[in-house]
mmCIF file of all heavy atoms in Angstrom:
data_model
loop_
_atom_site.group_PDB
_atom_site.id
_atom_site.type_symbol
_atom_site.label_atom_id
_atom_site.label_comp_id
_atom_site.label_asym_id
_atom_site.label_seq_id
_atom_site.Cartn_x
_atom_site.Cartn_y
_atom_site.Cartn_z
ATOM 1 N N VAL A 1282 23.222 31.246 -5.517
ATOM 2 C CA VAL A 1282 22.933 32.516 -6.194
ATOM 3 C C VAL A 1282 21.699 33.011 -5.470
ATOM 4 O O VAL A 1282 20.671 32.323 -5.371
ATOM 5 C CB VAL A 1282 22.633 32.303 -7.653
ATOM 6 C CG1 VAL A 1282 22.163 33.574 -8.236
ATOM 7 C CG2 VAL A 1282 23.877 31.820 -8.340
ATOM 8 N N GLY A 1304 4.702 33.193 -8.239
ATOM 9 C CA GLY A 1304 4.455 34.033 -9.428
ATOM 10 C C GLY A 1304 5.242 33.598 -10.645
ATOM 11 O O GLY A 1304 6.026 32.651 -10.594
ATOM 12 N N ASP A 1329 12.403 50.247 -3.511
ATOM 13 C CA ASP A 1329 13.205 51.521 -3.383
ATOM 14 C C ASP A 1329 14.699 51.214 -3.362
ATOM 15 O O ASP A 1329 15.466 51.944 -4.042
ATOM 16 C CB ASP A 1329 12.897 52.090 -1.990
ATOM 17 C CG ASP A 1329 12.000 53.323 -2.161
ATOM 18 O OD1 ASP A 1329 11.689 53.652 -3.319
ATOM 19 O OD2 ASP A 1329 11.742 53.976 -1.102
ATOM 20 N N ASP A 1341 22.409 38.536 -5.547
ATOM 21 C CA ASP A 1341 23.190 38.409 -6.771
ATOM 22 C C ASP A 1341 22.485 38.825 -8.009
ATOM 23 O O ASP A 1341 23.017 39.100 -9.076
ATOM 24 C CB ASP A 1341 23.825 37.077 -6.933
ATOM 25 C CG ASP A 1341 24.588 36.662 -5.762
ATOM 26 O OD1 ASP A 1341 25.505 37.430 -5.346
ATOM 27 O OD2 ASP A 1341 24.304 35.597 -5.187
ATOM 28 N N ILE A 1357 23.756 48.975 -13.368
ATOM 29 C CA ILE A 1357 23.811 47.577 -13.333
ATOM 30 C C ILE A 1357 23.718 47.019 -14.741
ATOM 31 O O ILE A 1357 23.509 47.772 -15.673
ATOM 32 C CB ILE A 1357 22.657 46.895 -12.518
ATOM 33 C CG1 ILE A 1357 21.287 47.405 -13.073
ATOM 34 C CG2 ILE A 1357 22.812 47.273 -11.019
ATOM 35 C CD1 ILE A 1357 20.134 46.723 -12.370
ATOM 36 N N GLN A 1361 19.410 39.344 -21.327
ATOM 37 C CA GLN A 1361 18.419 39.574 -22.372
ATOM 38 C C GLN A 1361 17.037 39.518 -21.780
ATOM 39 O O GLN A 1361 16.860 39.011 -20.650
ATOM 40 C CB GLN A 1361 18.597 38.570 -23.500
ATOM 41 C CG GLN A 1361 18.449 37.141 -23.011
ATOM 42 C CD GLN A 1361 18.339 36.161 -24.128
ATOM 43 O OE1 GLN A 1361 17.599 36.351 -25.078
ATOM 44 N NE2 GLN A 1361 19.198 35.140 -24.074
ATOM 45 N N ALA A 1373 -8.827 53.756 -13.076
ATOM 46 C CA ALA A 1373 -9.460 54.808 -12.328
ATOM 47 C C ALA A 1373 -10.822 54.374 -11.860
ATOM 48 O O ALA A 1373 -11.350 53.318 -12.300
ATOM 49 C CB ALA A 1373 -9.564 56.114 -13.127
ATOM 50 N N MET A 1374 -11.471 55.158 -10.994
ATOM 51 C CA MET A 1374 -12.803 54.784 -10.499
ATOM 52 C C MET A 1374 -13.839 55.112 -11.551
ATOM 53 O O MET A 1374 -14.858 54.401 -11.620
ATOM 54 C CB MET A 1374 -13.077 55.615 -9.232
ATOM 55 C CG MET A 1374 -12.250 55.236 -8.017
ATOM 56 S SD MET A 1374 -12.565 53.632 -7.304
ATOM 57 C CE MET A 1374 -13.689 54.059 -5.978
ATOM 58 N N ASP A 1376 -14.480 56.784 -15.841
ATOM 59 C CA ASP A 1376 -13.739 57.062 -17.076
ATOM 60 C C ASP A 1376 -13.599 58.518 -17.436
ATOM 61 O O ASP A 1376 -13.023 58.854 -18.462
ATOM 62 C CB ASP A 1376 -14.246 56.227 -18.248
ATOM 63 C CG ASP A 1376 -15.756 56.401 -18.418
ATOM 64 O OD1 ASP A 1376 -16.298 57.290 -17.737
ATOM 65 O OD2 ASP A 1376 -16.345 55.660 -19.215
ATOM 66 N N ASP A 1379 -9.139 63.195 -15.650
ATOM 67 C CA ASP A 1379 -8.181 63.956 -16.437
ATOM 68 C C ASP A 1379 -6.781 63.360 -16.246
ATOM 69 O O ASP A 1379 -6.144 63.578 -15.222
ATOM 70 C CB ASP A 1379 -8.196 65.394 -16.054
ATOM 71 C CG ASP A 1379 -7.263 66.257 -16.890
ATOM 72 O OD1 ASP A 1379 -6.664 65.682 -17.841
ATOM 73 O OD2 ASP A 1379 -7.057 67.396 -16.558
ATOM 74 N N ALA A 1398 5.537 61.871 -14.695
ATOM 75 C CA ALA A 1398 6.190 63.136 -14.375
ATOM 76 C C ALA A 1398 6.312 64.039 -15.661
ATOM 77 O O ALA A 1398 6.245 65.219 -15.580
ATOM 78 C CB ALA A 1398 7.564 62.876 -13.810
ATOM 79 N N THR A 1403 -0.058 65.497 -11.936
ATOM 80 C CA THR A 1403 0.617 65.548 -10.703
ATOM 81 C C THR A 1403 0.956 64.085 -10.277
ATOM 82 O O THR A 1403 0.103 63.275 -10.138
ATOM 83 C CB THR A 1403 -0.258 66.166 -9.568
ATOM 84 O OG1 THR A 1403 -0.685 67.457 -10.040
ATOM 85 C CG2 THR A 1403 0.483 66.325 -8.272
ATOM 86 N N ALA A 1408 5.736 53.673 -2.137
ATOM 87 C CA ALA A 1408 6.863 52.721 -2.074
ATOM 88 C C ALA A 1408 6.442 51.382 -2.578
ATOM 89 O O ALA A 1408 7.254 50.636 -3.118
ATOM 90 C CB ALA A 1408 7.369 52.608 -0.630
ATOM 91 N N PHE A 1426 -1.108 54.406 -12.600
ATOM 92 C CA PHE A 1426 -0.423 54.032 -13.845
ATOM 93 C C PHE A 1426 0.628 53.006 -13.526
ATOM 94 O O PHE A 1426 1.515 53.193 -12.704
ATOM 95 C CB PHE A 1426 0.166 55.296 -14.445
ATOM 96 C CG PHE A 1426 0.773 55.078 -15.785
ATOM 97 C CD1 PHE A 1426 -0.009 54.574 -16.841
ATOM 98 C CD2 PHE A 1426 2.067 55.479 -16.069
ATOM 99 C CE1 PHE A 1426 0.476 54.386 -18.068
ATOM 100 C CE2 PHE A 1426 2.583 55.340 -17.342
ATOM 101 C CZ PHE A 1426 1.800 54.802 -18.389
ATOM 102 N N LYS A 1429 0.456 46.819 -17.422
ATOM 103 C CA LYS A 1429 -0.930 46.259 -17.745
ATOM 104 C C LYS A 1429 -1.187 44.962 -16.984
ATOM 105 O O LYS A 1429 -2.244 44.805 -16.455
ATOM 106 C CB LYS A 1429 -0.960 46.038 -19.286
ATOM 107 C CG LYS A 1429 -2.258 45.587 -19.788
ATOM 108 C CD LYS A 1429 -2.249 45.453 -21.278
ATOM 109 C CE LYS A 1429 -1.560 44.186 -21.673
ATOM 110 N NZ LYS A 1429 -1.499 43.948 -23.131
ATOM 111 N N VAL A 1444 -8.802 53.219 -18.078
ATOM 112 C CA VAL A 1444 -9.111 54.448 -18.856
ATOM 113 C C VAL A 1444 -7.936 54.794 -19.724
ATOM 114 O O VAL A 1444 -6.811 54.454 -19.464
ATOM 115 C CB VAL A 1444 -9.476 55.632 -17.882
ATOM 116 C CG1 VAL A 1444 -10.779 55.454 -17.219
ATOM 117 C CG2 VAL A 1444 -8.359 55.796 -16.863
ATOM 118 N N LYS A 1468 25.741 32.790 -18.079
ATOM 119 C CA LYS A 1468 24.952 31.590 -17.678
ATOM 120 C C LYS A 1468 23.490 31.821 -17.886
ATOM 121 O O LYS A 1468 22.772 30.916 -18.454
ATOM 122 C CB LYS A 1468 25.287 31.149 -16.289
ATOM 123 C CG LYS A 1468 26.614 30.433 -16.140
ATOM 124 C CD LYS A 1468 26.715 29.915 -14.702
ATOM 125 C CE LYS A 1468 28.080 29.346 -14.447
ATOM 126 N NZ LYS A 1468 28.391 29.145 -13.009
ATOM 127 N N LYS A 1477 13.650 30.019 -24.469
ATOM 128 C CA LYS A 1477 12.997 30.642 -25.604
ATOM 129 C C LYS A 1477 12.937 29.625 -26.699
ATOM 130 O O LYS A 1477 11.870 29.526 -27.474
ATOM 131 C CB LYS A 1477 13.737 31.889 -26.105
ATOM 132 C CG LYS A 1477 13.437 33.095 -25.198
ATOM 133 C CD LYS A 1477 14.216 34.312 -25.728
ATOM 134 C CE LYS A 1477 13.897 35.498 -24.900
ATOM 135 N NZ LYS A 1477 14.749 36.689 -25.251
ATOM 136 N N GLU A 1492 -3.394 33.897 -22.981
ATOM 137 C CA GLU A 1492 -2.964 33.362 -24.225
ATOM 138 C C GLU A 1492 -2.430 34.462 -25.148
ATOM 139 O O GLU A 1492 -2.961 35.598 -25.223
ATOM 140 C CB GLU A 1492 -4.114 32.687 -24.987
ATOM 141 C CG GLU A 1492 -4.603 31.387 -24.307
ATOM 142 C CD GLU A 1492 -3.568 30.268 -24.434
ATOM 143 O OE1 GLU A 1492 -2.811 30.211 -25.488
ATOM 144 O OE2 GLU A 1492 -3.407 29.495 -23.460
#
Side-chain angles (χ1 to χ4, degrees):
Chain A
V1282 175
D1329 254 1
D1341 306 305
I1357 56 173
Q1361 59 171 309
M1374 294 289 264
D1376 52 8
D1379 179 8
T1403 306
F1426 187 53
K1429 184 176 78 179
V1444 288
K1468 279 187 191 168
K1477 281 181 177 172
E1492 291 293 324

